[in-house]
Amino acid sequence: MHITSDKFKSLAHDAIHDDRLKNGLMIFEKFLPAFREQVIGRLPEFEAMRDQARDIKDHTLSHLDFYLARFEEKVLAQGGIVHWARTGDEANEIIAEICRGVDAKKVIKSKSMVTEEIELNPKLESEGLEVFETDLGEYIIQLRDEKPSHIVGPALHLNVDQVSDTFYEAHQKYGRTERVVEKDALVGEARAVLREHFKTADVGITGANYLIAESGTIGLVTNEGNADLSASLPNCHIVVTGIEKVVPTLDDATLLMRLLVRSATGQEAANYMSFYTGPKRVGDADGPEIFHVVLVDNGRSNMVGTEFQDMLRCIRCGACLNHCPVFTSIGGQAYGSVYSGPMGSVLTPALTSITQAAHLPNASTFCGRCEAVCPVRIPLPKMLRHWREREYEAHLIPRAARWGVGLWAFLAKSPWLYRRALSIASFGLGLMSREDRAGSARWVKKLPLIGRGWTERRDLAAPKGGTFLTQYARQQKERR
Amino acid sequence: MSDPTRVALFATCLVNLMRPRVGFAALKLLEKAGFQVDVPIQQTCCGQPNFNSGDREGARSAAKQTLEVLRNYDYVVVPSGSCAGMIRKHYPTLFDEGTPERKAFETLSSRTHELVSFLTDVANVDQVTAKFDGVVTYHDSCAGLREMGVKGQPRSLLSSMVGCSLKEMEDPEVCCGFGGTFCVKYPDLSNEMVRKKTDSIVATDADCVAMGDVGCLLNIEGKLHRDGKAVPAYHVAELLAGMIKDEAS
């Protein structure tokens, strides 16, 4: 997984000043949270379902080996094949090998964040395969050679004009030389182009929202139906997903599904919620004859048993992104990782390294809104803090910041010095301040050192009359 | 006969350094509610800057200092949801379960309250006598709201003030972008967040904005002032204690 999270600051800066982003971000910031609130308002047991989902996931994660083995056994019994990939590269090689085995020329894919994570498309293309994303958003960003900006709405950072330009350029080769500008017409054009690819693809690759251990079934949730076409039209279906997606039973999967859809898009149900068990059986009218499941670890099992284990409960709904004031100010691409927002800021360092992703856990105010909406109650701020602890322990934070933190801890255990230091600071701020026009208050317009960041676009009201402890002590003396 | 209940005011660094008036407002409100209040002079920082910077050891040593200063009080009252949350929610997690130390921190945790919710939920205060002639919009500071459950309490006390009416801003529960050291480490982001917040405040046409944490207060107030928006920002205690009447509002 390649990331550019070390450029977070400059990417975030550019994103803030990119006006084209604003409309897309509005969908996450305003509409999706409002839809979610409406839909959970109609489901009084929602909070109890969250507890139950957390418990199911925790139980499964503490018996992960058992449930994965059972899942494999059941898939094999249905005539499917299960592959275990320790890394992204291993997964890519396994998938390429399957494609070679069926002499594939064309691959269609439905939306899968794991294949984004392991960078499957470039691998398959290097093997000479034609690869087509079939989720509309993924299709658009594939044409533009971009990374998804949101785990659920990968192209929502783009506006209609940009999509129009992209299709105009990319669809010339299909004889579509007229520029289309209307939303519905653009969707129609993508549908027409993709329909041909669906019919002629040799392999269909999908992700999985759930792996159901009791039956070897995979569960898929989409709104466009493209996953169903990808899973059932080509003769070979490859499921690529992370090992943490396993749940014990169908009941567990349906509970998660009810939470997932409400949390993700504020719908009561997605348009398509499908289950696939093994390849086509004798007497089946359709379906793939070859069925593979590639189970990807890629760093996940290293999280089991650590302070980051709870992150493996994540069902990829995107609610934490939609409710994150940082995400909704900059969008997903600024994070430099296919996983963005709070969940991405916890997951990315785990799947790559904290050195590469050092910014992500720090770019949070710990406002806690992500945890408040997480359908499986992942304590996201706590985990971001754990990453900061790892950074502190590994001396990854700038020396001056570390020195400041150490000095502060020293003051906090030295009351007399603490009072002196705050009094000096109070006095210093007074010196730096100027009276405002009304003459009623004093403001600091420019702070030195680390305070510069504050006064770039904010003032600071200067304190009056010394610290509270000084003033209070003086009052007490006068009273006596 | 004085009330034997021992109440400590834990002022917090930002009140101590930047907004002493909030400390006096808290004292006034607590005394009016019938408590005798101590301000332990040995109090320092709750350790949150260290805790949130990944320095658990530094946070632990600050926690121990704070425990020493506050352990003999029946109640610890804090005019900040964030620092109250540190003591109440996070202190115990810094120490191993089952140890006497952990137990002492759990006791301190159970006695620690955010100021306004202490007034309403523990002291059963349901109205204040201060007046404010105008419309107030209230910003929910994150830790107060999500760690300490402060939501209706400040609104109900503000509504009890003669002349005061409330008007909600859009998304009052969304963070203002302060975030402790976040605001100086990521100034662009912090500024974008406080820009949205102050836009929502200005859109209400309220006469002032109130909140329960001095961190958010400095951020919101500083942004409003820099952008030339004449909306004063107050800690809710300043309004409830009637400490702003000599200011143009």
Side-chain angles (χ1 to χ4, degrees):
Chain A
M1 181 170 164
H2 292 95
I3 61 170
T4 54
S5 308
D6 55 330
K7 300 192 184 68
F8 176 80
K9 266 195 166 178
S10 65
L11 291 171
H13 174 90
D14 295 347
I16 288 168
H17 297 99
D18 182 352
D19 285 338
R20 280 188 306 193
L21 259 180
K22 296 222 161 20
N23 267 335
L25 290 177
M26 188 78 94
I27 295 175
F28 299 123
E29 183 176 15
K30 302 288 180 191
F31 298 143
L32 291 184
F35 295 159
R36 175 188 172 275
E37 199 153 307
Q38 270 177 19
V39 81
I40 68 172
R42 293 197 290 266
L43 192 67
E45 66 269 40
F46 189 75
E47 294 304 314
M49 286 166 59
R50 291 173 71 190
D51 290 338
Q52 213 181 335
R54 174 199 56 207
D55 295 346
I56 289 168
K57 278 289 195 175
D58 279 348
H59 166 83
T60 317
L61 288 168
S62 41
H63 302 91
L64 194 55
D65 49 349
F66 172 81
Y67 285 111
L68 285 170
R70 166 155 294 195
F71 173 78
E72 179 182 37
E73 189 187 305
K74 294 289 174 182
V75 173
L76 291 176
Q78 309 281 348
I81 301 164
V82 175
H83 308 262
W84 303 82
R86 274 170 295 201
T87 63
D89 286 347
E90 269 187 32
N92 288 338
E93 187 46 46
I94 291 165
I95 298 158
E97 181 62 34
I98 298 169
C99 291
R100 275 179 232 129
V102 298
D103 203 16
K105 306 274 182 299
K106 185 185 282 185
V107 174
I108 48 169
K109 286 181 68 206
S110 76
K111 191 174 169 317
S112 148
M113 285 309 297
V114 173
T115 63
E116 289 282 356
E117 170 191 328
I118 65 177
E119 296 164 57
L120 174 63
N121 291 8
K123 166 72 181 173
L124 295 182
E125 280 157 7
S126 76
E127 299 265 325
L129 287 156
E130 274 194 295
V131 182
F132 292 94
E133 293 288 349
T134 62
D135 170 88
L136 181 59
E138 284 283 336
Y139 178 62
I140 295 165
I141 60 165
Q142 183 189 24
L143 293 178
R144 296 173 62 91
D145 197 20
E146 286 186 41
K147 299 271 190 196
S149 59
H150 185 286
I151 56 171
V152 175
L156 278 176
H157 59 289
L158 300 168
N159 61 30
V160 178
D161 292 343
Q162 288 168 295
V163 175
S164 171
D165 289 348
T166 305
F167 281 7
Y168 178 68
E169 213 174 288
H171 292 166
Q172 299 273 340
K173 63 180 174 200
Y174 302 111
R176 295 180 175 269
T177 49
E178 246 173 78
R179 181 185 288 273
V180 173
V181 290
E182 293 294 321
K183 273 185 203 168
D184 287 349
L186 286 165
V187 173
E189 184 169 307
R191 176 182 282 135
V193 167
L194 288 172
R195 190 55 54 121
E196 286 313 307
H197 294 309
F198 276 122
K199 286 190 211 159
T200 51
D202 307 297
V203 171
I205 295 177
T206 70
N209 293 95
Y210 325 98
L211 305 169
I212 300 164
E214 66 173 348
S215 55
T217 301
I218 70 147
L220 275 172
V221 179
T222 71
N223 273 326
E224 298 170 23
N226 60 313
D228 301 85
L229 294 178
S230 303
S232 47
L233 287 180
N235 197 40
C236 174
H237 177 195
I238 308 175
V239 180
V240 186
T241 196
I243 52 172
E244 81 283 13
K245 293 282 169 62
V246 70
V247 290
T249 67
L250 179 62
D251 280 351
D252 299 332
T254 51
L255 172 83
L256 293 179
M257 195 177 281
R258 296 175 75 201
L259 284 166
L260 169 69
V261 181
R262 286 174 173 85
S263 302
T265 51
Q267 294 167 284
E268 231 122 41
N271 293 345
Y272 297 88
M273 301 197 284
S274 315
F275 295 96
Y276 297 92
T277 312
K280 179 178 175 178
R281 286 158 299 191
V282 181
D284 278 357
D286 48 29
E289 285 172 353
I290 304 164
F291 180 78
H292 291 270
V293 182
V294 182
L295 297 175
V296 182
D297 183 334
N298 204 29
R300 288 165 175 76
S301 60
N302 290 338
M303 297 164 74
V304 176
T306 70
E307 66 265 51
F308 302 108
Q309 176 169 315
D310 291 350
M311 190 61 224
L312 295 173
R313 293 204 295 257
C314 179
I315 57 173
R316 307 289 191 268
C317 69
C320 63
L321 282 67
N322 307 342
H323 289 80
C324 176
V326 173
F327 178 90
T328 54
S329 294
I330 57 176
Q333 290 179 337
Y335 290 76
S337 162
V338 295
Y339 298 115
S340 57
M343 60 78 72
S345 298
V346 176
L347 200 55
T348 304
L351 301 182
T352 59
S353 76
I354 186 59
T355 319
Q356 284 173 276
H359 271 301
L360 303 185
N362 288 291
S364 160
T365 62
F366 286 155
C367 80
R369 217 171 162 221
C370 48
E371 181 177 1
V373 298
C374 176
V376 285
R377 299 199 190 281
I378 299 172
L380 289 152
K382 187 173 117 185
M383 303 209 157
L384 293 171
R385 193 181 290 110
H386 284 321
W387 277 123
R388 295 188 191 181
E389 286 161 9
R390 295 265 180 117
E391 289 182 61
Y392 189 83
E393 283 157 22
H395 290 258
L396 289 175
I397 65 170
R399 198 179 301 167
R402 195 181 174 84
W403 188 82
V405 167
L407 175 68
W408 190 251
F410 183 70
L411 290 176
K413 60 181 179 188
S414 325
W416 185 83
L417 276 179
Y418 171 87
R419 289 196 298 274
R420 294 304 303 156
L422 259 58
S423 290
I424 293 166
S426 175
F427 182 73
L429 286 169
L431 289 183
M432 277 184 263
S433 67
R434 269 176 276 155
E435 215 162 69
D436 67 7
R437 262 178 241 132
S440 58
R442 299 183 68 88
W443 296 86
V444 182
K445 296 272 184 184
K446 203 168 179 185
L447 282 167
L449 305 167
I450 187 158
R452 264 194 327 222
W454 180 285
T455 44
E456 270 166 24
R457 293 189 199 84
R458 276 166 291 211
D459 293 330
L460 183 69
K464 290 177 202 149
T467 68
F468 172 65
L469 289 176
T470 310
Q471 294 188 41
Y472 177 77
R474 196 186 306 136
Q475 272 192 9
Q476 291 299 101
K477 223 177 192 175
E478 282 164 9
R479 263 194 221 176
R480 266 187 236 126
Chain B
M1 289 272 286
S2 68
D3 189 334
T5 308
R6 288 168 56 80
V7 176
L9 178 71
F10 186 75
T12 79
C13 302
L14 286 178
V15 167
N16 193 5
L17 173 61
M18 299 305 301
R19 200 87 162 190
R21 190 170 68 179
V22 174
F24 291 109
L27 279 176
K28 192 168 162 187
L29 288 165
L30 290 167
E31 280 163 7
K32 268 210 162 152
F35 297 99
Q36 251 199 326
V37 187
D38 271 1
V39 179
I41 198 76
Q42 297 292 83
Q43 62 180 281
T44 61
C45 172
C46 68
Q48 201 180 170
N50 297 81
F51 184 57
N52 286 345
S53 300
D55 174 21
R56 273 178 94 85
E57 203 37 61
R60 251 183 234 123
S61 78
K64 287 179 189 164
Q65 164 67 23
T66 303
L67 175 67
E68 276 322 301
V69 173
L70 300 176
R71 70 186 319 157
N72 293 321
Y73 290 93
D74 299 306
Y75 292 111
V76 174
V77 179
V78 190
S80 154
S82 166
C83 307
M86 179 69 198
I87 300 175
R88 193 171 175 113
K89 297 280 171 193
H90 300 301
Y91 270 9
T93 69
L94 287 167
F95 301 89
D96 288 337
E97 245 170 290
T99 58
E101 211 168 27
R102 167 79 168 238
K103 202 135 187 103
F105 279 103
E106 280 166 359
T107 306
L108 175 64
S109 158
S110 67
R111 293 174 179 173
T112 301
H113 298 266
E114 180 277 335
L115 171 69
V116 180
S117 50
F118 178 79
L119 291 172
T120 57
D121 304 350
V122 179
N124 297 316
V125 173
D126 55 13
Q127 56 176 16
V128 293
T129 51
K131 289 177 197 149
F132 179 81
D133 210 9
V135 179
V136 178
T137 189
Y138 188 83
H139 162 68
D140 294 287
S141 297
C142 298
L145 175 71
R146 297 189 188 89
E147 293 185 341
M148 301 301 291
V150 178
K151 177 73 190 179
Q153 302 94 326
R155 288 176 172 79
S156 89
L157 287 188
L158 285 169
S159 308
S160 78
M161 293 171 65
V162 174
C164 177
S165 64
L166 284 175
K167 188 169 177 199
E168 293 292 338
M169 67 182 84
E170 196 182 350
D171 291 334
E173 297 184 358
V174 171
C175 180
C176 73
F178 174 65
T181 55
F182 173 86
C183 65
V184 287
K185 282 197 285 189
Y186 298 95
D188 283 340
L189 260 172
S190 175
N191 178 66
E192 176 65 6
M193 288 158 73
V194 72
R195 179 193 67 73
K196 291 184 194 175
K197 179 55 70 179
T198 51
D199 282 354
S200 316
I201 292 166
V202 171
T204 63
D205 266 328
D207 298 301
C208 74
V209 54
M211 63 211 85
D213 255 282
V214 173
C216 321
L217 173 58
L218 294 171
N219 188 33
I220 289 172
E221 175 188 68
K223 182 66 181 168
L224 287 166
H225 190 260
R226 172 65 63 94
D227 291 352
K229 308 278 165 58
V231 187
Y234 299 117
H235 190 287
V236 61
E238 295 175 305
L239 283 164
L240 296 177
M243 295 186 89
I244 54 151
K245 35 184 176 293
D246 48 348
E247 276 176 32
S249 61

